């Protein structure tokens, strides 16, 4: 306050009572619970965690083990037209796609019970790379009439055709351009083709809200790596065509980790042969191999798996629960021993130490 | 008027002021043709902003902080397309938040300033209206340079005013300047003399003279100017004519003057420095850790940038055509060279990892402190009903320093003591009149008196004093003699007694006011008729003649009445000869006491004058030339004051030279410190036996008084022969006329006349201790706080106070350092220093042989001002400090304000200790400002100490609670808070870091940037804040009961340099758990980047909140509420924001992500597991630490819990007494030992051995006690 400022005192108006209010809140005297962490008090918590975690871990492990999973790495599968050459080699020298290297694999499958899903798996594919993740235009995919010039610049260089601002890619960006385009067919016992369902593999929310087709495809071109434009992705079913194509939708939801799997097809269990799952036996899987992965030392695989409430086959979480559960039990035992042997003493020690220091 | 035109260009040294009445009133003040137009008006504006300038100005100021600049830089960086990591708009959220909060705080403060300005500007005062030709009511802001102002007694001066007229006939006006210089004695100002007003009163409308004064400057002791009477004649003006803004008119009915400086050009405002910015110790520690954060940031950025380069290089060498790698095929190869990418990515990482430096740290720490300050000010324990004052926190940013104080420097007078002086005893002519505390007969009187004597500076004339019967008898004898007009030879001793009281009454600067000062002009400037103000005839100083006569006559009547009363009571005395009643004038006194007030410079003088008047020797009136006293022997006497030789610190005494009206005898009366008087006594006190005896007896009495803790003053007189006086007068006048060395010459002339004194006697005045001071000092000692008393008082008194406050105990050895030369001081210091170390060594030896010997002898140090001067020199201060550290307490007496400040500075800077200075007077300001924390006692001695302080309390004892309870809590809370802020940002950044390894060091984020930005400002912001304000490690009762708990803060145990390391490791571990559990659980799972990030984010926020829970010591509903609310807010925010489709924030586009994620069982499985695993180590370590290595606080917690359980048992079992006593035993024993175990900083190396030796018996003791208490419980 400035020295020239009159305080309330000289004017003689000092009748105000400045006594603070005596409320529990203002005096910070609210009823409080003061827990203290001692060997004694954490002991029950350890046992409780142990008791809860071990059964949960067992349940998780059992669930994971009950899942049947078959993985076929076909990165280096043989070109069926030229058995001396692998498809990987075939694509090493080919820059432009559109060419297809077909390879056929005969596999012995165990019995799959229940709903079976077919995934494709890629490794070493950094779909989570910052620039890659950004390289899309959600407005365009949502079917909003985005002018070519107003496409997300993060899509570059897959935004406009050769820098021409009136001609753009549909969909733009690196994600769309690198759409996984291998296709699989599966035949049981060389006679019964397994029916693969193309729909129901994407999130319902994506399919119904996020991805929509625009009113027209004017000035739009297919991305450079694509064989067909987006509006011809599934000419047979309009609900699965254009941006609403579920393969595209699944691909556009970029994976978290460099090794990932994405849902490719659902097995059609309406077929009488496969109504309880997949029968054990020999299956011939034909792969239209057109996605080069050797450039980044990646691998490709087909995964057939049943599913559970937990998702895929992964014993990690179950084991982790078991380990930590057991650890807690052990800790509980150790703390009990401490408590029994030194518990009473430790309280005394408490007092002595206080004296020691002061 | 030529001056006016030239002003501002050629003559900038002076400004010319034209009375506004000479100017056409139609011309506004601001208009160019107005002669005073260049000067500021009296409107003050201390606000920094206006509504329009607020935003740009505030932002500009905020960006002066480095942290804000850094974050601005990060935001700007994010707009570079190559680099950007977050959505551009979202990155600005935290910065806007921080700037916004700070801006709101600033705006609020500015608004408060605006309101106080407004209050000041709209104060009422009266200025002369040139149109109405009278004073009219106006407001402060409406005063302009050149206006005439009229002020009444007790009014605050609105601007710098040239005094032209005062109600006093001599033109004297008294002002109190404590608002400006802190000195709260009354100062005299004189109206300008020599104005040609023909002796009649000053008339504003007739005043047409121009005034020329200096340009505004900040020197409050200098002022020069002239009033132009006509072309040739000018009257010089000096400081004595100027009334400064902010001072208060006292003892003067009214004054009138012309405003020469107004508003911001007044000296008071030019002197107004802004508040100092203090940085707390904890904040310095935090800043150090912020530097670690910067190091970490740079490391992470470099690491990731290099990683990015290597990762990219792998693909480049693999294939020339990177277009085949779909996730990095973005055009030109050159542009994507590893080096270039590494560089780009480095900046991206600067953005991503920006949170390492906790952006909201500073602003939230400030907010926490604000909360703490609020609750401190609300604490009812600090409320002092007598003065109606509570804790006042003037500094907002050093609350936690209160918990770390190591040294307390205290003033004595007014801080430890009440600063209410009570006359306790006196010795006259060698005879002691001890004024023993009376028996029952005194109770009536003292009760009656105590009602009158309010502890106030200008209270009634009666001292709450038990009259000494013997002294009463002497005085009454004298009364009788004079009344009966019996010409007897008055014995020498009786004469001395009368002289003694006369001296007490006149040798001072006390001002008498017979009535409350009243102005006969009302607020609106109209003259009121005094007759309507009641017929009470107390208007002695009434300037209007007709009333003067009336008042004089009434005074006469009073006088005659009192005479009769006095004689009557004397009659009684003679008849009964029992001195039970009061003597002579006391009834007269009680009659007058309701109207007469003494206003004194120092409380000592007030006590003396009051005591004298209680004995019937009464000061009635004082002007600059005469003093009127009522003496028991002579009745009313008007003595002529020839000179007043004021007090100064060199002579340590003051004198008055008086001429008796009848005998024309010239007498010099001197009072001062004993040393100052005894050294200048007459030769006969050496030679003559009788005189020497008297002198020795007096000295003995003085020593005794000092031992009792009384302040002593010696009284002496000298009868001057006419010739002697004349000779001296010549010398004196010559001295006062010289320009150079005036001070020295005056001093010499004073000393010349103050010789050959006749010793009259001495007085002892008690300075009452404040309530609870000894207890508070004892507890501060237990808390390990060293208390130094720095006082201006004399050595004996200081030592005595030290004993009575229990600062010294009888067991301790007092080392007194009194040296007169530097060599002597050095020798003394060295000698004592070695002596103590020798003593320590020898007692260690003894100790080893015989473990039962008590602890070392303790030393306390007393040093006087002269020795301190030498000790504070650069050569000697190391020895001095070393010696001080070996002593338990230090008392510096006779210390000057500057020395006080220097002592504090020495300890603060050399020993690197946390210092606190507490004081109440202007002489403490220096140390209050030097210390880390300055505390002002809002007591009696002005406001200067409070103005300079960081906290103001009403009583010394409140310091205990302030430090031990609030200081401790604040420190504990803020340490936890700061550590938590670091933890929060580190864990977030580490989680992001782990992901970089699996995303090619591309700067990819799996957590939606919106969550990341809101995490620190919303989702996890409130629970730590709540803890920072509400959490308590233990109750206030425990902290006060066990002062040793304070040491945790004192030794900075709660926030050490390892704290950051622990936080670092903890967050590293937890982030690894969070990330890798998620990573491996989601392997072989078709998981998208955003679902992955959502689970991680949920885990992270959950763990941060649980961690706060673990750190919380006392849970009240507020904590529960905010903890649960925080998580719910995040959860609901995620769900709701994910349910809305928007493409505002590419690339995350989180539509339905949260819903999909939480609907999967794996999400919950991971979250639960991660929480348990992440917090497990902390729980284990904490519980082990609590069980095996408890801190003092832990022990107290444990004890509290046991007490509670015991009480439960007690309630169940119903055997109250036994258990209660058992419990008391335990706590009491703990307390005792704590007290006996006080150790000294310096003896730490020795303590080890000692403590080990003492373990044995103590342990037995405790176990025994514990067994007892337990057995008692069992019995129940």
């Amino acid at each position: 306050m400035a020295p020239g400022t009159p305080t309330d005192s000289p004017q003689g108006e000092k009748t105000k009572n400045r006594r603070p209010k005596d409320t529990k809140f203002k005096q910070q005297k609210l009823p409080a619970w003061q827990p203290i962490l001692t060997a004694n008090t954490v002991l029950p918590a350890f046992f409780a965690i142990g008791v809860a975690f071990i059964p949960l871990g067992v349940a998780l492990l059992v669930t994971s083990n009950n899942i049947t999973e078959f993985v076929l790495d076909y990165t280096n599968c043989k070109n069926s037209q030229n058995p001396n050459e692998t498809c990987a080699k075939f694509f090493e020298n080919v820059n432009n796609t559109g060419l297809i290297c077909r390879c056929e694999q005969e596999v012995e499958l165990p019995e799959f019970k229940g709903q079976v899903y077919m995934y494709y798996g890629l490794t070493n594919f950094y779909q989570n790379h910052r620039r890659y993740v950004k390289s899309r235009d959600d407005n365009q995919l949502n079917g909003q009439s985005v002018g070519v010039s107003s496409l997300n610049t993060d899509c570059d260089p897959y935004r406009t055709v050769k820098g021409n601002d009136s001609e753009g890619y549909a969909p733009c960006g690196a994600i769309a351009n690198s759409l996984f385009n291998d296709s699989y067919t599966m035949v049981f016992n060389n006679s019964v083709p397994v029916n693969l369902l193309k729909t129901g593999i994407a999130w319902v929310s994506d399919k119904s809200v996020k991805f929509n087709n625009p009113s027209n495809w004017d000035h739009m071109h297919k991305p450079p790596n694509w064989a067909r434009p987006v509006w011809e992705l599934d000419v047979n079913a309009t609900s699965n065509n254009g941006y609403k194509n579920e393969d595209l939708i699944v691909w556009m939801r970029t994976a978290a980790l460099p090794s990932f799997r994405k849902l490719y097809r659902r097995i059609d269990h309406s077929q009488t042969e496969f109504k309880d799952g997949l029968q054990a036996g020999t299956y011939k899987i034909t792969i239209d191999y057109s996605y080069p992965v050797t450039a980044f030392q990646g691998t490709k695989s087909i995964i057939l798996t049943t599913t559970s409430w937990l998702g895929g086959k992964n014993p990690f979480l179950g084991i982790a629960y078991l380990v930590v559960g057991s650890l807690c039990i052990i800790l509980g035992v150790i703390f009990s021993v401490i408590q029994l042997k030194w518990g009473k003493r430790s309280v005394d020690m408490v007092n002595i130490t206080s004296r020691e220091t002061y | 008027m030529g001056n006016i035109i030239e002003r501002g260009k050629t003559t900038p040294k002076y400004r010319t002021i034209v009375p506004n009445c000479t100017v056409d009133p139609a011309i506004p003040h601001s208009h160019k043709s107005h002669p005073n137009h260049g000067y500021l008006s009296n409107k003050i504006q201390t606000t920094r902003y206006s509504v329009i300038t607020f935003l740009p100005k505030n932002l500009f100021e905020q960006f002066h902080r480095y942290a804000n600049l850094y974050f601005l830089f990060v935001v700007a960086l994010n707009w570079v397309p190559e680099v950007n990591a977050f959505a551009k708009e979202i990155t600005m959220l935290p910065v806007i938040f921080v700037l916004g909060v700070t801006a709101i705080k600033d705006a609020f403060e500015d608004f408060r300033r605006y309101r106080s300005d407004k209050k000041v500007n709209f104060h009422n005062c009266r200025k002369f209206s040139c149109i109405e030709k009278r004073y009219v009511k106006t407001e402060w802001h409406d005063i302009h340079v050149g206006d005439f102002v009229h002020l009444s007694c007790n009014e605050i001066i609105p601007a710098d005013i040239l005094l032209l007229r005062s109600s006093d006939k001599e033109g004297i006006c008294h002002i109190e300047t404590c608002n400006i210089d802190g000195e709260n004695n009354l100062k005299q100002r004189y109206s300008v003399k020599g104005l040609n007003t023909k002796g009649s009163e000053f008339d504003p409308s007739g005043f047409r003279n121009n005034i020329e004064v200096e340009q505004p400057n900040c020197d409050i002791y200098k002022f020069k100017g002239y009033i132009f009477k006509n072309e040739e004649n000018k009257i010089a003006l000096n400081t004595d004519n100027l009334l400064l803004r902010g001072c208060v008119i006292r003892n003067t009915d009214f004054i009138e003057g012309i405003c020469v400086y107004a508003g911001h050009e007044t000296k008071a405002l030019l002197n107004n420095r802004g508040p100092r910015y203090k940085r707390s110790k904890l904040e310095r520690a935090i800043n150090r850790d912020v530097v670690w954060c910067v190091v970490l940031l740079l490391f992470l950025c470099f690491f990731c940038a290099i990683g990015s380069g290597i990762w990219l290089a792998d693909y480049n060498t693999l294939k020339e055509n990177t277009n085949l790698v779909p996730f990095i095929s973005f055009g030109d190869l050159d542009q994507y060279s590893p080096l270039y990418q590494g560089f780009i990515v480095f900046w991206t990482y600067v953005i991503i990892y920006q949170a390492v430096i906790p952006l909201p740290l500073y602003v939230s720490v400030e907010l926490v402190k604000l909360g703490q300050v609020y609750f401190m000010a609300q604490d009812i324990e600090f409320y002092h009903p007598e003065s109606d004052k509570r804790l006042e926190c003037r500094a907002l940013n050093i609350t936690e320093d209160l918990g770390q104080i190591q040294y307390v420097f205290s003033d004595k007078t007014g801080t430890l003591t009440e600063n209410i002086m009570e006359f306790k005893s006196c010795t006259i002519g060698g005879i002691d009149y001890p004024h023993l505390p009376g028996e029952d007969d005194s109770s009536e009187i003292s009760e009656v008196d105590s009602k009158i004597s309010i502890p106030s500076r200008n209270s009634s004339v009666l001292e709450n004093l038990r009259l000494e019967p013997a002294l009463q008898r002497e005085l009454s004898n004298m009364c009788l003699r004079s009344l009966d007009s019996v010409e007897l030879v008055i014995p020498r001793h009786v004469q001395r007694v009368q002289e003694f009281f006369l001296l007490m009454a006149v040798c001072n600067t006390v001002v008498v006011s017979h009535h409350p000062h009243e102005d006969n002009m009302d607020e609106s400037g109209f003259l009121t008729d005094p007759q309507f103000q009641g017929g009470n005839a107390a208007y002695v100083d009434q300037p209007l003649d007709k009333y003067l006569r009336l008042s004089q006559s009434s005074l006469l009547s009073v006088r005659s009445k009192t005479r009769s009363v006095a004689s009557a009571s004397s009659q009684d005395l003679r008849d009964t000869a029992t001195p039970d009643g009061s003597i002579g004038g006391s009834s007269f006194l009680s009659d007058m006491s309701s109207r007469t007030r003494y206003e004194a410079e120092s409380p000592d003088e007030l006590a003396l004058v009051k005591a004298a008047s209680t004995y019937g020797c009464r000061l009635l009136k004082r002007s600059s030339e005469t003093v009127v006293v009522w003496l028991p022997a002579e009745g009313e006497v008007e003595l002529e004051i020839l000179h007043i030789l004021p007090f100064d610190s060199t002579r340590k005494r003051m004198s008055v030279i008086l001429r008796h009206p009848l005998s024309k005898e010239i007498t010099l009366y001197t009072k001062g410190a004993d040393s100052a008087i005894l050294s200048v006594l007459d030769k006969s006190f050496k030679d003559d036996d009788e005189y020497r005896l008297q002198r020795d007896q007096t000295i003995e009495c003085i020593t005794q008084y000092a031992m009792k803790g009384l302040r002593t003053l010696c009284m002496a007189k000298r009868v001057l022969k006419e010739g002697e006086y004349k000779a001296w007068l010549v010398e004196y006048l010559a001295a006062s006329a010289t320009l150079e060395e005036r001070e020295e010459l005056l001093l010499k002339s004073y000393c010349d006349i103050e010789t050959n004194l006749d010793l009259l006697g001495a007085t002892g005045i008690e300075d009452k201790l404040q309530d609870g001071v000894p207890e508070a000092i004892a507890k501060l000692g237990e808390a390990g706080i060293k208390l130094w008393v720095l006082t201006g008082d004399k050595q004996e008194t200081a030592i005595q106070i030290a004993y009575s406050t229990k600062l010294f105990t009888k067991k301790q050895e007092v080392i007194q350092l009194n040296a007169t030369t530097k060599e002597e001081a050095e020798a003394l210091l060295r000698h004592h220093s070695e002596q103590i170390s020798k003593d320590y060594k020898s007692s260690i030896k003894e100790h080893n042989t015989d473990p039962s010997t008590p602890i070392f002898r303790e030393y306390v140090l007393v040093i006087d001002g002269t020795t301190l001067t030498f000790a504070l020199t650069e050569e000697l201060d190391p020895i001095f400090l070393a010696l001080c550290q070996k002593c338990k307490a230090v008392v510096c007496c006779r210390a000057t304000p500057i020395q006080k400040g220097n002592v504090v500075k020495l300890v603060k800077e050399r020993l690197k200790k946390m210092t606190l200075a507490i004081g109440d007077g202007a002489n403490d300001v220096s140390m209050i400002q030097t210390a880390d924390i300055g505390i002002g006692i809002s007591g009696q001695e002005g406001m200067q100490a409070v103005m300079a302080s960081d906290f103001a309390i009403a009583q010394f004892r409140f310091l205990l609670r302030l430090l031990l309870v609030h200081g401790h809590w604040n420190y504990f809370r803020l340490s936890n808070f700061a550590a938590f802020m670091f933890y929060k940002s580190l864990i977030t950044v580490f989680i992001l870091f782990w992901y970089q390894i699996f995303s090619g060091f591309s700067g990819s984020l799996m957590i939606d940037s919106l969550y990341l930005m809101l995490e620190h400002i919303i989702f996890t912001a409130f629970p730590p804040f709540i803890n920072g304000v509400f959490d308590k490690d233990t109750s206030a009762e425990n902290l006060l009961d066990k002062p040793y708990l304070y040491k945790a803060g004192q030794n900075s145990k709660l926030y050490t340099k390892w704290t950051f390391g622990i936080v670092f490791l903890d967050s590293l571990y937890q982030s690894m758990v969070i990330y890798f559990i998620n990573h491996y659980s989601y392997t072989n799972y078709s998981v998208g980047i955003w679902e992955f990030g959502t689970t991680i984010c949920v885990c992270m926020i959950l763990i941060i909140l649980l961690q706060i829970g673990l750190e919380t010591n006392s849970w009240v509903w507020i904590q529960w509420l905010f903890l649960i609310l925080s998580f719910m807010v995040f959860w609901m925010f995620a769900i709701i924001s994910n349910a809305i489709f928007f493409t505002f924030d590419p690339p995350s586009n989180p539509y339905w992500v949260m819903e999909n994620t939480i609907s999967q069982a794996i999400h919950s499985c991971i979250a639960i597991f991660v929480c348990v695993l992440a917090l497990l180590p902390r729980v284990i370590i904490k519980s082990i630490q609590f069980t095996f290595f408890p801190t003092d606080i832990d022990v107290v917690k444990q004890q509290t819990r046991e007490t509670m359980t015991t009480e439960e048992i007690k309630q169940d079992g119903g055997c109250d007494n036994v258990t209660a006593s058992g419990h008391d035993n335990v706590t009491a024993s703990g307390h005792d030992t704590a007290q006996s175990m006080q150790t000294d900083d310096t003896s730490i190396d020795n303590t080890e051995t000692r403590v080990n030796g003492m373990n044995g018996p103590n342990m037995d003791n405790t176990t025994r006690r514990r067994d007892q208490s337990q057995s008692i419980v069992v019995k129940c």
Side-chain angles (χ1 to χ4, degrees), chain A residues 2-6 10-11 14 16-22 25-39 41-42 46 49 53 60 92 94-95 119 124-126 128-135 138-139 142 144 156-158 174 178 203 205 209-210 253-258 261-262 291-292 294-297 309-314 316-317 320-321 324 327-328 331 335 338 346-348 350-358, chain B residues 82-84 120 123 156 179 245 268-269 272 311 315 318 321 324 326-330 336 348 374-375 378-380 383 388 390 973 995 998-1000 1002-1004 1029-1030 1032-1033 1044 1047 1075 1077 1079-1081 1083-1089 1091-1092 1113-1118 1120 1141 1143 1147 1149 1151-1153 1156 1161 1165 1168-1169 1172-1173 1176 1179-1180 1182-1184 1186-1188 1190 1192 1195 1197 1199 1201-1202 1229-1230 1233 1237 1251 1255 1259 1262-1263 1266:
Chain A
T5 308
Q11 294 295 50
K14 251 189 68 183
K16 272 186 224 156
N17 190 353
R18 289 169 51 79
R19 184 187 162 89
K21 283 212 180 92
D22 192 3
F25 176 76
K26 284 195 168 178
Q27 298 304 318
Q28 299 206 334
K29 281 181 178 160
L30 295 166
W33 173 57
Q34 290 198 305
I36 44 176
L37 284 177
T38 62
T41 47
V42 295
F46 282 152
I49 291 170
F53 269 31
L60 288 172
E92 237 168 56
V94 181
N95 194 3
Y119 290 86
N124 221 3
F125 190 106
Y126 284 82
N128 58 11
H129 191 280
R130 182 172 66 95
R131 295 181 56 85
Y132 182 83
V133 169
K134 287 199 298 182
S135 190
D138 279 317
N139 288 332
N142 191 229
Q144 295 168 22
D156 278 333
Y158 307 107
S178 60
W203 289 8
S205 59
V209 178
K210 219 173 153 180
R253 190 157 282 285
T254 49
L257 300 168
R261 52 174 69 173
K262 281 182 184 290
Y291 204 75
T294 45
F296 50 90
Q297 290 181 319
W309 57 273
L310 194 61
K313 191 182 179 78
N314 183 0
F316 174 80
L317 207 51
Y321 262 96
V324 172
L327 194 72
C328 283
L331 279 169
F335 274 60
I338 291 172
S346 74
V347 177
D348 287 341
V350 158
N351 280 338
I352 294 154
T353 19
S354 85
R355 278 133 208 273
E356 247 173 57
T357 354
Y358 301 107
Chain B
E82 284 290 307
V83 173
N84 85 321
V120 171
H123 255 70
I156 303 164
N179 276 340
R245 179 187 170 120
L269 284 171
N272 182 17
W311 181 85
Y315 292 96
L318 202 72
N321 190 351
L324 280 179
F327 45 87
I328 50 170
S329 55
F330 297 106
Y336 291 92
T348 305
Y374 173 77
F375 281 104
Q378 288 297 328
D379 193 337
I380 202 160
Y383 178 68
D388 194 30
R390 50 163 123 171
R973 289 164 179 167
Y995 190 59
F998 303 96
S999 64
S1002 59
S1004 190
V1029 179
F1030 285 97
K1032 297 172 180 176
D1033 48 357
Y1044 60 85
K1047 293 190 176 181
Y1075 180 76
I1077 296 295
H1079 183 111
Y1080 290 110
S1081 301
T1083 311
N1084 288 351
Y1085 197 94
S1086 71
V1087 63
I1089 185 167
E1091 298 105 271
F1092 184 69
N1113 283 270
S1114 74
W1115 292 81
V1116 295
W1117 59 265
I1118 306 168
W1120 287 111
F1141 176 82
T1143 52
N1149 192 353
Y1151 182 66
W1152 222 250
V1153 169
N1156 262 317
C1165 289
I1168 294 167
F1169 180 75
V1172 170
L1173 188 60
L1176 201 58
V1179 171
I1180 294 170
K1182 271 197 114 166
S1183 55
I1184 286 181
F1186 195 99
T1187 313
F1188 292 108
D1192 303 315
V1195 174
K1197 275 191 208 164
Q1199 281 172 353
R1201 156 146 320 192
E1202 272 166 32
S1229 72
T1233 19
M1237 299 282 292
V1251 164
N1255 263 346
M1259 200 189 297
T1262 337
T1263 6
R1266 179 153 297 281

Side-chain angles (χ1 to χ4, degrees), chain B residues 617-648:
Chain B
C617 190
R618 200 159 131 56
L619 176 69
L620 293 179
K621 191 176 169 225
R622 172 190 290 278
S623 67
S624 57
E625 275 132 35
T626 59
V627 55
V628 181
V629 281
W630 199 93
L631 295 174
E634 295 169 59
E636 191 177 304
V637 182
E638 186 168 348
L639 300 156
E640 189 189 345
I641 301 174
L642 296 174
H643 294 285
I644 293 177
L645 317 183
F647 179 87
D648 63 57

Side-chain angles (χ1 to χ4, degrees), chain B residues 699-787:
Chain B
I699 292 174
E700 196 185 315
C701 286
I702 292 172
T703 324
Q704 275 178 8
Y705 294 166
M707 291 284 280
K708 284 188 216 152
L710 303 181
R711 295 154 76 96
T712 57
L713 278 174
C714 265
M715 311 291 184
K717 72 157 197 176
R718 179 184 175 190
V719 179
L720 295 170
K721 294 194 186 79
E722 196 69 31
E724 277 178 324
Y725 172 68
K726 288 250 166 72
W728 174 79
L729 194 63
V730 173
E731 184 202 345
Y732 168 76
L733 289 175
S736 48
T738 36
L739 294 171
E740 292 155 29
E741 297 177 333
R742 186 159 174 261
E743 301 279 306
E744 288 82 2
L745 286 173
L746 273 180
L747 188 68
K748 189 176 163 290
S749 81
Y750 291 162
C751 289
D752 284 347
I753 196 138
E754 286 167 341
T755 51
N756 302 332
L757 298 180
D758 178 14
L759 182 65
L760 289 173
T763 55
I765 298 169
E766 188 191 37
D767 193 359
K768 258 179 81 182
L769 276 189
Q770 282 185 11
D771 284 347
V773 168
E775 293 80 4
I777 288 183
K779 293 230 162 164
L780 287 177
E782 281 177 54
I785 298 170
K786 286 201 170 190
L787 182 70

Side-chain angles (χ1 to χ4, degrees), chain B residues 290-313:
Chain B
V290 168
V291 174
W292 279 115
C293 285
V294 174
V295 172
L296 186 70
L297 172 79
L298 289 178
F299 171 78
L300 288 177
C301 291
F302 270 114
F303 186 91
C304 289
I306 291 166
S308 154
I310 292 172
W311 181 85
L312 201 65

Side-chain angles (χ1 to χ4, degrees), chain B residues 1211-1268:
Chain B
Q1211 280 167 1
D1212 296 343
C1215 45
D1216 301 8
N1217 296 334
V1218 195
T1219 12
S1221 66
H1223 145 63
D1224 280 348
N1225 235 343
V1226 178
T1227 41
S1229 72
H1231 188 54
D1232 287 347
T1233 19
Q1235 259 182 337
S1236 69
M1237 299 282 292
Q1238 286 173 50
T1239 54
D1240 221 321
D1241 277 357
T1242 47
S1243 59
I1244 279 172
D1245 27 350
N1246 309 326
T1247 348
E1248 288 293 324
T1249 46
R1250 188 164 26 122
V1251 164
N1252 287 342
M1254 284 172 67
N1255 263 346
N1258 261 327
M1259 200 189 297
D1260 292 346
N1261 227 348
T1262 337
T1263 6
R1264 210 181 310 127
R1265 284 220 176 93
R1266 179 153 297 281
D1267 287 347
Q1268 265 174 12

